[in-house]
Amino acid sequence: MSAIILYWILLMSAIGFVLMGYDKRKAINHEWRIRERTLWLVALFGGGIGSYIGMRIFRHKTQHTSFVFGLPAIAVVYAVISLAIYQ
């Protein structure tokens, strides 16, 4: 069961990372964007770590206070969960 949770967090983190990059590309090209609600849901359902890394690497949503403080908090929660399961 614990392996399933770790794989879920890894999968959702990869999705969160990709979505941040994809949304950044859409923003640069002035195209239709991914809803913030979708980005938050991915982060909340296991993708917090990848979403945060994507935010930093792609420099996306860095002017939004909710993302600047919320994503690191969610990432810490999932990092602690992952470490607790791993040990």
Side-chain angles (χ1 to χ4, degrees), residues 37-74:
R37 180 183 342 169
T38 302
L39 297 174
W40 277 114
L41 287 173
V42 169
L44 287 172
F45 286 112
I49 297 169
S51 295
Y52 176 69
I53 293 170
M55 181 181 82
R56 303 309 286 167
I57 287 178
F58 300 117
R59 288 184 250 157
H60 188 51
K61 301 290 185 188
T62 57
Q63 299 297 313
H64 296 249
T65 306
S66 62
F67 280 90
V68 170
F69 292 107
L71 283 183
I74 294 170

Side-chain angles (χ1 to χ4, degrees), residues 6-46:
L6 287 176
Y7 287 130
W8 178 259
I9 291 171
L10 182 63
L11 173 67
M12 293 303 290
S13 289
I15 291 170
F17 180 82
V18 169
L19 285 179
M20 281 296 201
Y22 183 70
D23 192 49
K24 176 66 175 195
R25 178 174 287 155
K26 292 284 200 175
I28 290 171
N29 294 330
H30 305 288
E31 297 174 358
W32 286 101
R33 310 267 306 278
I34 297 171
R35 290 182 176 190
E36 285 189 3
R37 180 183 342 169
T38 302
L39 297 174
W40 277 114
L41 287 173
V42 169
L44 287 172
F45 286 112

